[in-house]
Amino acid sequence: MERLFEPLAIGPVTIKNRIFSSGHDTVMAEDGLVTDQLVEYHRARAEGGAGLIVMQVSGVHESARYTSHVLMATEDSSIPGYAKVAAAVHPSGCKIFGQLFHPGREVMESQDGSMPVTWSASSVPNERFKVMPRELDERTIAEIVVGYAAAALRLQAGGLDGVEVVASHGYLPAQFLNSSVNRRSDSYGGDLGNRLRFLREILEAVRAAVGPTMAVGIRISGDELDPSGLVEDDALAACAELDRLGLLDYVSVTVGTSASLSGSDHIVPPMSYAVGYTASYAARVKKVVKVPVLVAGRINQPQDAARIIEQGSADACAMTRALICDPEMPAKAMEGRAEEIRACIACNQACIGHFHAGYPISCIQHPETGRELLYGRIRRATVSRNVVVIGGGPAGLKAAAVAAERGHSVTLFEARSRLGGQVRLASALPEREEFGGAIDNLYGEASRAGARFELGHAATADEVRRMAPAAVVVATGAKPRRPELETMGTPSISDAWAVISAGGRLKPQGRTVVADWRSDWVGIGVARMLAANGHSVVIAVGGYAPGESLQQYVRDSLVRSLYRERIEIMPLVRIVGADEDSVYLQHVLTGEPVIVEQAYNLVLAQGSLPEDELLRELAGDENLSVTGIGDCLAPRTVEEAVLEGLRAAWTI
Ligand code: ADP
């Protein structure tokens, strides 16, 4: 891994190693300004050893507000916030760049419920957000170019080391570059030289404004990987020309576009994409430019980053989610503690998932992220106490890890012979294998902190009382919910969990209905397992689409597989009953019956019920201090389980 820890000169700036955090919106800005939480978020990554942090996008013009919580650089009042971030990261030897941003037509959200006028190179609609932009006139183009330079000056005044013009993912400069979006006949449209004019003018203006001491680069999609996206040849030609003109200190390569469903999952690729799959795009950019090339794309472990650099595909690697998940990852890698790294599993749930939902980003494995002001530094307990944790799913494991890290003496009981609870089921599903990494990571944390494990030991209320611990954390999880059904004869009805545990094998062979209430990974996963085992599968969902409750990129990746595997999707139905050769459903809007004939199996993915008997028994005991966490309180997801584990352990 030595190459990973060699310094790299990026124009006038030298970064101490090749690990960086690429620009990602945190939803931690307020009123367009940096907050204390945002400062602490970046401080943690800098202290953890990252060589470079590229801050989230900063809007350069009023029309750049693509969400209601975007960070802005249009007023001098933004400068003190940038200065605080720079002051927080610099003492660790970490450099910090800002992203200069205009989304053009990629406006995701309104500011007040009403949609603003959006701008682009031409009036070509956005497929994903259903935006019809207005063609930019030359006066407004000039105003926006000035905005880029003025924003760069504010970031410089804040003490940032570099600026990056965001020309990736189909944002405004890419809209000009892309002949499918730029239909202009003036000097900004037509051949590539003209389509590049907007980005060239921005870079010239920024360069002239900030002078030679600040690094100036671009982020670009090596290919937008979309039928209407910027094609690789044009992206390469643009990089080559800007490099030839001496306008760049670096190129940061990614792939995909915000403009479509299929293009956008590359923005934060879910676990179905191979680690480092974008490296070949960076390698081709590297062939046409002289300046350093950075790359992002599901690089979650230092050894993978090291390999990409050694192969010469890129000079530095964005390990953005890896740092969201484990801010100390670079330090651990450098100190030979790589096995202690909490590797990102690319579940997307609390990072980009929170961003899309409008909440500050976090991590399901490490809920301290995004909550650094509260949980940023472990608070040692004043007295070491005996703590009993019951249940070895994600909730119990996190409680055990944090309680032990705080100095308590922790014993965790798990009824089964294996830790992991429902996460083990998730990781048995197609495209979800990596999910199990969350349990390996949590187990590692808890055992390194000194927690003891009693596996194959179902704890009872009596024995807990006999142990008389100072605190009991109950994390007994959930069991499958089976709704009341109307049945005739002896239909084949199974729970999704049982089918997953059986590897997707189910008798009789034939047409099978998966009744999916929660529209999460369970219904889709079991449907795909059954299809892979030769069943003809119908997935009947209560909402408009399977996977509705999952983060968009995860959902789309899984739903794409459903279509490719010819699994029939039946939206807007609830399960009513079954007989030996039919499944009976009801339309959720009309109430009309919907019958699937010649269906010989019904598989229920109807969520779960809390496994809360032990909690009820113990909670009534005045001599015990008992806290219930996770699914045994109310079945939700790993995110809430781990967060509640943290909170419970924090208060012991
Ligand atoms: P959560 O997501 O809240 O952590 P899970 O359902 O994933 O919940 O995990 C709960 C774990 O608790 C399961 O592994 C289950 O075997 C275990 N468990 C349930 N009851 C007991 C008990 N009485 N003693 C020990 N372990 C238990």
Side-chain angles (χ1 to χ4, degrees), residues 73 89 176-177 195 203 299-300 348 437 476 480 487 575:
V89 306
F176 273 87
L177 267 176
R195 283 185 274 125
L203 287 165
I299 307 168
N300 67 341
N348 278 7
T476 45
T487 58
I575 185 69

Short mmCIF file of all heavy atoms in Angstrom, two decimals, residues 73 89 176-177 195 203 299-300 348 437 476 480 487 575:
data_model
loop_
_atom_site.label_atom_id
_atom_site.label_comp_id
_atom_site.label_asym_id
_atom_site.label_seq_id
_atom_site.Cartn_x
_atom_site.Cartn_y
_atom_site.Cartn_z
N ALA A 73 -22.10 30.08 -2.50
CA ALA A 73 -20.89 30.92 -2.44
C ALA A 73 -21.15 32.20 -3.22
O ALA A 73 -20.26 32.73 -3.88
CB ALA A 73 -19.70 30.16 -3.01
N VAL A 89 -9.53 21.49 9.18
CA VAL A 89 -8.85 20.35 8.53
C VAL A 89 -7.34 20.56 8.38
O VAL A 89 -6.59 19.60 8.39
CB VAL A 89 -9.49 19.99 7.16
CG1 VAL A 89 -10.99 19.75 7.31
CG2 VAL A 89 -9.22 21.04 6.10
N PHE A 176 -23.72 21.85 -21.68
CA PHE A 176 -23.18 22.54 -22.85
C PHE A 176 -22.33 21.60 -23.70
O PHE A 176 -22.37 21.66 -24.93
CB PHE A 176 -22.34 23.76 -22.40
CG PHE A 176 -23.16 25.00 -22.23
CD1 PHE A 176 -23.79 25.28 -21.02
CD2 PHE A 176 -23.33 25.89 -23.29
CE1 PHE A 176 -24.56 26.41 -20.87
CE2 PHE A 176 -24.11 27.04 -23.14
CZ PHE A 176 -24.73 27.30 -21.92
N LEU A 177 -21.59 20.73 -23.04
CA LEU A 177 -20.69 19.83 -23.77
C LEU A 177 -21.44 18.76 -24.56
O LEU A 177 -20.96 18.27 -25.58
CB LEU A 177 -19.80 19.09 -22.75
CG LEU A 177 -18.45 19.69 -22.44
CD1 LEU A 177 -17.78 18.86 -21.33
CD2 LEU A 177 -17.57 19.67 -23.68
N ARG A 195 -19.03 23.87 -28.04
CA ARG A 195 -19.74 23.31 -26.88
C ARG A 195 -18.87 23.37 -25.61
O ARG A 195 -19.37 23.38 -24.50
CB ARG A 195 -20.18 21.87 -27.17
CG ARG A 195 -21.41 21.80 -28.08
CD ARG A 195 -21.90 20.39 -28.26
NE ARG A 195 -21.20 19.72 -29.36
CZ ARG A 195 -20.56 18.57 -29.25
NH1 ARG A 195 -20.50 17.93 -28.10
NH2 ARG A 195 -19.95 18.05 -30.30
N LEU A 203 -13.28 28.35 -16.68
CA LEU A 203 -11.94 28.05 -16.17
C LEU A 203 -11.00 29.25 -16.35
O LEU A 203 -10.19 29.55 -15.47
CB LEU A 203 -11.37 26.80 -16.85
CG LEU A 203 -12.03 25.50 -16.39
CD1 LEU A 203 -11.71 24.35 -17.35
CD2 LEU A 203 -11.60 25.12 -14.97
N ILE A 299 -14.74 2.62 -4.48
CA ILE A 299 -13.43 2.16 -4.01
C ILE A 299 -13.53 2.18 -2.48
O ILE A 299 -13.51 3.24 -1.86
CB ILE A 299 -12.31 3.09 -4.51
CG1 ILE A 299 -12.42 3.21 -6.04
CG2 ILE A 299 -10.93 2.54 -4.10
CD1 ILE A 299 -11.57 4.31 -6.63
N ASN A 300 -13.72 1.01 -1.88
CA ASN A 300 -14.06 1.00 -0.46
C ASN A 300 -12.96 0.49 0.45
O ASN A 300 -13.10 0.52 1.66
CB ASN A 300 -15.37 0.24 -0.20
CG ASN A 300 -15.25 -1.23 -0.48
OD1 ASN A 300 -14.34 -1.66 -1.19
ND2 ASN A 300 -16.15 -2.02 0.05
N ASN A 348 -25.98 2.49 0.61
CA ASN A 348 -26.53 3.79 0.20
C ASN A 348 -27.65 4.31 1.09
O ASN A 348 -28.26 5.34 0.79
CB ASN A 348 -27.04 3.77 -1.25
CG ASN A 348 -25.92 3.96 -2.25
OD1 ASN A 348 -24.75 3.99 -1.88
ND2 ASN A 348 -26.27 4.09 -3.52
N GLY A 437 -21.08 -7.73 5.58
CA GLY A 437 -19.89 -7.02 6.07
C GLY A 437 -20.21 -6.15 7.28
O GLY A 437 -19.36 -5.93 8.14
N THR A 476 -33.67 -8.18 20.83
CA THR A 476 -34.06 -9.52 20.39
C THR A 476 -34.70 -9.55 19.01
O THR A 476 -35.08 -10.61 18.53
CB THR A 476 -35.00 -10.16 21.43
OG1 THR A 476 -35.97 -9.17 21.82
CG2 THR A 476 -34.24 -10.60 22.67
N PRO A 480 -41.12 -13.03 11.42
CA PRO A 480 -41.94 -12.71 10.25
C PRO A 480 -43.41 -12.51 10.64
O PRO A 480 -43.93 -13.20 11.51
CB PRO A 480 -41.80 -13.93 9.35
CG PRO A 480 -40.63 -14.68 9.85
CD PRO A 480 -40.46 -14.34 11.30
N THR A 487 -58.14 -18.97 3.21
CA THR A 487 -57.54 -20.08 2.45
C THR A 487 -58.58 -21.18 2.23
O THR A 487 -59.57 -21.28 2.96
CB THR A 487 -56.35 -20.70 3.22
OG1 THR A 487 -56.82 -21.15 4.49
CG2 THR A 487 -55.22 -19.71 3.40
N ILE A 575 -52.52 -8.60 -0.28
CA ILE A 575 -52.80 -10.04 -0.26
C ILE A 575 -54.08 -10.31 0.55
O ILE A 575 -54.30 -9.70 1.59
CB ILE A 575 -51.60 -10.84 0.29
CG1 ILE A 575 -51.85 -12.35 0.20
CG2 ILE A 575 -51.24 -10.45 1.70
CD1 ILE A 575 -51.87 -12.89 -1.21
#
